[in-house]
Amino acid sequence: GEDVEQSLFLSVREGDSSVINCTYTDSSSTYLYWYKQEPGAGLQLLTYIFSNMDMKQDQRLTVLLNKKDKHLSLRIADTQTGDSAIYFCAENPGGGADGLTFGKGTHLIIQP
Amino acid sequence: KAGVTQTPRYLIKTRGQQVTLSCSPISGHRSVSWYQQTPGQGLQFLFEYFSETQRNKGNFPGRFSGRQFSNSRSEMNVSTLELGDSALYLCASSRGGSSYNEQFFGPGTRLTVL
């Protein structure tokens, strides 16, 4: 069945780069997404990548997509304390109007 | 532009009761999706409505139902509540259609079943 896998925790020092990894299963997913969730809040879309792209950069965020290995990563440059949150990778199976399939989320912990 | 709003934000019910949650999408958005978030199962897709029609449904029992009104506002209903229904219920709206549609999430309704 469809499954999106992420590691549960990542700890980085403030100022370093954070790299959050994700593997997905549905090769027909048209878009792949990264969402951020802060405590007590809903989900905030950080960025997305179209499946025919390899890389997308948006300010401090860089998304890399390896479609062959179905691997997606999110790099956050110069990680700040405000980046502390849970990061979810998501795919849209079937590429259409289906609901998103989310990973379990990666807790990003920032060390001073 | 106002974001997605969900009411109520918090709800406490007892087993066997039923509950109705409401979601108002962003103005102009015609698609509303519902998700359940629990610590154990993570985020799971419940269903999606577009122009008052359920367009897709996840793997949840029939106790979970929803509807969408002509103004795109949506409600979801859970009947005969079970303890395992305790969760954060998130609603997301998008313009709809078959091409890329960014989903904007509301803050969620925290349901506790006692």
Side-chain angles (χ1 to χ4, degrees):
Chain A
E2 297 146 3
D3 210 1
V4 177
E5 300 280 347
Q6 298 178 245
S7 52
L8 287 182
F9 295 95
L10 176 66
S11 178
V12 298
R13 287 190 177 277
E14 190 176 357
D16 288 351
S17 292
S18 306
V19 180
I20 303 171
N21 294 300
C22 165
T23 56
Y24 62 98
T25 56
D26 194 322
S27 57
S28 66
S29 289
T30 312
Y31 294 92
L32 296 142
Y33 308 84
W34 285 103
Y35 281 87
K36 176 183 180 182
Q37 186 176 37
E38 295 179 88
L43 296 174
Q44 173 197 354
L45 178 66
L46 281 179
T47 186
Y48 66 92
I49 188 167
F50 189 50
S51 59
N52 69 353
M53 296 169 67
D54 298 323
M55 186 183 87
K56 180 178 180 182
Q57 189 152 2
D58 184 1
Q59 299 182 332
R60 290 192 298 124
L61 305 178
T62 303
V63 178
L64 294 177
L65 174 61
N66 181 330
K67 201 170 178 183
K68 175 178 166 290
D69 295 337
K70 298 193 182 74
H71 182 265
L72 184 71
S73 68
L74 173 69
R75 177 176 179 268
I76 305 172
D78 187 24
T79 308
Q80 303 297 309
T81 54
D83 295 324
S84 181
I86 304 174
Y87 291 81
F88 293 91
C89 167
E91 61 174 347
N92 66 326
D98 299 342
L100 299 178
T101 299
F102 286 86
K104 292 285 177 70
T106 298
H107 293 243
L108 179 61
I109 300 161
I110 315 301
Q111 297 175 23
Chain B
K1 204 178 201 182
V4 179
T5 57
Q6 292 187 245
T7 56
R9 290 294 310 278
Y10 301 92
L11 206 48
I12 298 174
K13 292 284 188 179
T14 56
R15 278 181 299 174
Q17 288 187 308
Q18 74 163 15
V19 68
T20 299
L21 312 182
S22 181
C23 172
S24 292
I26 290 170
S27 178
H29 285 191
R30 295 165 65 192
S31 169
V32 173
S33 299
W34 289 90
Y35 294 84
Q36 182 197 64
Q37 185 178 24
T38 59
Q41 298 299 316
L43 278 152
Q44 293 185 285
F45 172 69
L46 280 155
F47 28 65
E48 187 239 357
Y49 286 86
F50 178 77
S51 294
E52 301 178 66
T53 301
Q54 188 181 86
R55 200 161 55 167
N56 199 22
K57 191 176 188 304
N59 294 323
F60 277 81
R63 300 185 297 108
F64 292 81
S65 63
R67 58 179 176 168
Q68 187 180 33
F69 302 94
S70 58
N71 62 357
S72 294
R73 189 177 71 85
S74 177
E75 289 181 346
M76 68 162 279
N77 185 75
V78 188
S79 61
T80 320
L81 283 165
E82 300 176 0
L83 295 178
D85 297 333
S86 293
L88 180 67
Y89 290 88
L90 292 164
C91 151
S93 80
S94 69
R95 293 193 181 278
S98 59
S99 59
Y100 170 72
N101 286 284
E102 178 177 344
Q103 291 196 16
F104 294 84
F105 281 80
T109 294
R110 173 76 61 185
L111 172 64
T112 301
V113 181
L114 304 176

